[in-house]
Every structure is written in structure tokens, then in C-alpha cells.
């Protein structure tokens, strides 16, 4: 692994659409795939959500895997850590079609939260496999590890080790310390999205941090929990499904749907003092023309906000 790869913190948007994918030529500029963000950080691959944007990422990983050697066991195995914000279908629909899942040498660790009565593995098995896919979850060829996490735990990615899940209070234990090359992932559960809430993630590496806050509605007066969690982050990827006029439309209001407006995303950026906010998870009715019109309205904040699109890359280091 090169020094450049070990020190990189690169973010690439694979799917930026909410609710359902849009296969239409009017959606080519920003993209029609649902939520998926690729993060290459410190030599680790982290995938945020498994919407339809995951499929193209998986195909590219498969191509690179095949090119790395003549025979299966000679090839560089695909390893990834996947973080699911929640299990609504637009965020998991690409999972069964993720090509590395069907390669025996792949190592995929999936983390997320559900309710207190069922495990994430059970939920995914029921939603994606048993009655809606030709194979069961247990038939996946990859070394697939699905884990539940909660607000009190963090995930540490360290070279030469499986992901380490530690209680946050144990990080101060004298027998354990964070290494300079470790990637640290923390999270919290927000209930500003029906029906069982959504997990907000923070990825930290070498003094830089990314916060992924999709599918959350901003409370009246701001979201104080997000403000504290994301304080001082370098990049805030924030739900921006609606313009304010649609959110407050008297005939078809969107309040309570669990999504924010572009203005709410900017409000969250201000409250947590994020260096930059990325608008994300666009309503599927917002085609390229509509989003370009919205972008012109927010041209005066271009120095601190940007519109996500498929293929967009941001380097934090």
C-alpha cells in the first residue's frame, strides 16, 4: 500500500437521489441512482448506504479484482465496511446486486441499527432475500458479517485487523489506544425520520472528519444533537430533499416526512460550524432542470455549500 493511499480521505458520490431511482434522460446531470457514497480513507473502503448507486461501485470493484490476478486466489480480495443509515428500500435496494457479495474471497462488514426486537441481519434477510431474491442471505458467497451498533459504540478500522467495535467509554482504557493511522467511526440514532429513525455517522481520520446525515428532518429551532455531534466537521453531507415551498405546500405539505430542505441543511451547517455542506438525497421529482434552477437560487452560498451529483469527488486530505 502506497503512502498516498494510506493517507487519503477521498469521498465519491455514487447515488444522490432519494425515495426511488430515476431512469430518465432528464436526470443525467445529477444522476438518478439512490443513496450511496464511497469513502476511501486511510487505505480502507467505507460505503455509506446501499442504494442503487452501490451497483456501479460493485461492478468497478469486480473489474479491478479480476485485473489484479489471473486466478481467483491470486487476486486482491475486495474488503469493505458498509454503514447503513436505515433500512428503507431506497437505501438497501442495491445490496443484493453488489457484485463483491458473490465472490468467495470478499470480506464485507455491514453495520447499522434496527429496533430493539430484531437484528440487522434478520431484517435484511426478510426484506431483501427470503421472498424477493433467488437466494437466501446465508447463501451469499462472500465472508459477510452483519453487526448491530448503537450510540455508545464506535468502530475502529486498523490495518491487519477486522473492524474493532469498542464502547466509547473504553477508549480511555489504558490498555487500548487509538493509533495515528486508525479510522474512527462514531454514530447516533436520530428519530427525526419515520418509522424507526436513522443513524447519523461520523468518519474521522488524521484530524479530518466527515458527517453523513441523510433522511433526517431538522427540528424547529435547529437540531441540537446533530450540532454537537458534527461540530467542526470538514464535510457535512446533509439531507436536502425539498425546497422550502414544497416542504410547506398547503395542499401537499412534507412536514413530518423525515426530510430536510436546502435551507435546513444550511442551518445545520451554521449550527455545527461545518467547513462545507453537501446537499444530498434529492426528491425524485427534481430533474436536472429543476436542480439547476435551485442551484442558481443558492449561488451566493457556493463557498460553503455544494450540490452533490453522481461521480462527484472531494478530497479531505
Amino acid at each position: 500500500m502506497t503512502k498516498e493511499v494510506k493517507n487519503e480521505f477521498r469521498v465519491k458520490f455514487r447515488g444522490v437521489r432519494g425515495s426511488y431511482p430515476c431512469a430518465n434522460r432528464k436526470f443525467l446531470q445529477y444522476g438518478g441512482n439512490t443513496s450511496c457514497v464511497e469513502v476511501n480513507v486511510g487505505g480502507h473502503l467505507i460505503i455509506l448506504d446501499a442504494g442503487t448507486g452501490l451497483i456501479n461501485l460493485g461492478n468497478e470493484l469486480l473489474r479491478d479484482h479480476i485485473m489484479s490476478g489471473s486466478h481467483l486466489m491470486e487476486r486482491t480480495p475486495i474488503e469493505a465496511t458498509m454503514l447503513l443509515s436505515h433500512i428503507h428500500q431506497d437505501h438497501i435496494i442495491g445490496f443484493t446486486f453488489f457484485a463483491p457479495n458473490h465472490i468467495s474471497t470478499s470480506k464485507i462488514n455491514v453495520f447499522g441499527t434496527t429496533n430493539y426486537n430484531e437484528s440487522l441481519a434478520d431484517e435484511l434477510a426478510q426484506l431483501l432475500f427470503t421472498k424477493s431474491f433467488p437466494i437466501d442471505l446465508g447463501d451469499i458467497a462472500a465472508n459477510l458479517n452483519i453487526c448491530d451498533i448503537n450510540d455508545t459504540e464506535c468502530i475502529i478500522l486498523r490495518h491487519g485487523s477486522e473492524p474493532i467495535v469498542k464502547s466509547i467509554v473504553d477508549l480511555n482504557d489504558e490498555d487500548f489506544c487509538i493509533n495515528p493511522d486508525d479510522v474512527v467511526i462514531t454514530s447516533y440514532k436520530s428519530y427525526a425520520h419515520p418509522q424507526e429513525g436513522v443513524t447519523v455517522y461520523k468518519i474521522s481520520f488524521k484530524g479530518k472528519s466527515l458527517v453523513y446525515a441523510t433522511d433526517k428532518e431538522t427540528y424547529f429551532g435547529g437540531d441540537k444533537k446533530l450540532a454537537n455531534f458534527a461540530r467542526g466537521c470538514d464535510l457535512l453531507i446533509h439531507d436536502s430533499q425539498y425546497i422550502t415551498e414544497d416542504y410547506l405546500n398547503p395542499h401537499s405539505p412534507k412536514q413530518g416526512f423525515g426530510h430536510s430542505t436546502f435551507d435546513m441543511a444550511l442551518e445545520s451547517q451554521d449550527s455545527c460550524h461545518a467547513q462545507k455542506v453537501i446537499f444530498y438525497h434529492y426528491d425524485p421529482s427534481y430533474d436536472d432542470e429543476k436542480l439547476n434552477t435551485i442551484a442558481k437560487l443558492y449561488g451566493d452560498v457556493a463557498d460553503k455549500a455544494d450540490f452533490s451529483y453522481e461521480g462527484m469527488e472531494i478530497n479531505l486530505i
Side-chain angles (χ1 to χ4, degrees):
M1 186 182 301
T2 66
K3 182 178 179 181
E4 289 76 13
V5 170
K6 287 186 68 174
N7 288 323
E8 75 172 345
F9 197 156
R10 180 170 54 85
V11 182
K12 185 172 183 177
F13 291 83
R14 294 288 185 164
V16 302
R17 191 68 52 178
S19 302
Y20 57 82
C22 303
N24 188 303
R25 62 184 179 182
K26 294 182 179 181
F27 294 82
L28 295 177
Q29 181 179 345
Y30 293 88
N33 282 302
T34 61
S35 301
C36 183
V37 178
E38 172 190 0
V39 183
N40 287 281
V41 53
H44 303 277
L45 170 60
I46 299 175
I47 303 170
L48 294 162
D49 274 331
T52 55
L54 178 67
I55 299 171
N56 285 335
L57 170 57
N59 292 340
E60 291 181 19
L61 292 172
L62 174 60
R63 178 201 62 197
D64 294 342
H65 170 71
I66 292 173
M67 293 178 63
S68 69
S70 301
H71 304 287
L72 178 63
M73 302 313 294
E74 296 175 353
R75 294 169 182 161
T76 304
I78 299 169
E79 299 184 9
T81 299
M82 189 177 297
L83 308 176
L84 299 181
S85 63
H86 61 311
I87 55 173
H88 286 175
Q89 66 175 10
D90 53 327
H91 292 259
I92 59 174
I93 194 172
F95 186 79
T96 50
F97 301 100
F98 182 52
N101 278 341
H102 307 291
I103 302 173
S104 61
T105 56
S106 297
K107 297 180 180 178
I108 313 295
N109 293 290
V110 182
F111 294 90
T113 61
T114 57
N115 60 33
Y116 292 105
N117 299 318
E118 296 184 350
S119 69
L120 179 61
D122 288 342
E123 293 273 27
L124 292 179
Q126 293 177 39
L127 289 169
L128 292 177
F129 289 90
T130 305
K131 294 185 178 181
S132 59
F133 200 68
I135 63 175
D136 287 330
L137 178 60
D139 296 325
I140 289 292
N143 180 0
L144 184 65
N145 185 32
I146 302 176
C147 300
D148 297 89
I149 56 169
N150 59 53
D151 295 15
T152 67
E153 297 172 319
C154 69
I155 305 165
I156 300 167
L157 303 184
R158 178 175 293 174
H159 293 293
S161 169
E162 293 295 316
I164 302 167
V165 179
K166 295 281 290 184
S167 169
I168 292 176
V169 297
D170 290 341
L171 293 182
N172 297 322
D173 192 321
E174 61 182 16
D175 295 327
F176 183 85
C177 64
I178 301 293
N179 295 334
D181 291 329
D182 288 346
V183 177
V184 179
I185 302 167
T186 51
S187 65
Y188 81 89
K189 189 73 169 282
S190 169
Y191 290 94
H193 188 75
Q195 298 185 15
E196 296 175 358
V198 63
T199 301
V200 177
Y201 291 100
K202 180 194 292 181
I203 302 171
S204 302
F205 179 66
K206 293 189 179 297
K208 299 290 185 178
S209 61
L210 155 70
V211 172
Y212 181 73
T214 188
D215 289 65
K216 62 164 298 298
E217 194 164 352
T218 299
Y219 302 105
F220 177 76
D223 188 334
K224 305 305 180 186
K225 193 169 186 178
L226 176 65
N228 290 329
F229 180 78
R231 191 166 304 283
C233 69
D234 296 276
L235 192 67
L236 173 63
I237 301 173
H238 197 287
D239 188 287
S240 309
Q241 180 132 345
Y242 307 117
I243 58 174
T244 302
E245 289 78 7
D246 287 341
Y247 181 79
L248 298 176
N249 186 318
H251 304 291
S252 180
K254 305 299 190 297
Q255 286 180 311
F257 281 25
H259 294 289
S260 291
T261 66
F262 294 89
D263 289 335
M264 289 175 179
L266 288 170
E267 181 182 353
S268 293
Q269 180 199 22
D270 289 339
S271 65
C272 69
H273 306 291
Q275 293 296 311
K276 192 151 196 171
V277 64
I278 304 296
F279 299 133
Y280 183 72
H281 201 274
Y282 308 128
D283 188 88
S285 68
Y286 291 8
D287 60 14
D288 292 339
E289 182 179 3
K290 173 96 170 185
L291 285 172
N292 283 334
T293 300
I294 296 171
K296 290 178 182 177
L297 297 176
Y298 288 91
D300 59 339
V301 295
D303 59 326
K304 65 176 186 176
D306 209 347
F307 285 72
S308 60
Y309 58 87
E310 286 182 31
M312 177 185 187
E313 293 192 36
I314 298 172
N315 291 305
L316 295 183
I317 293 181

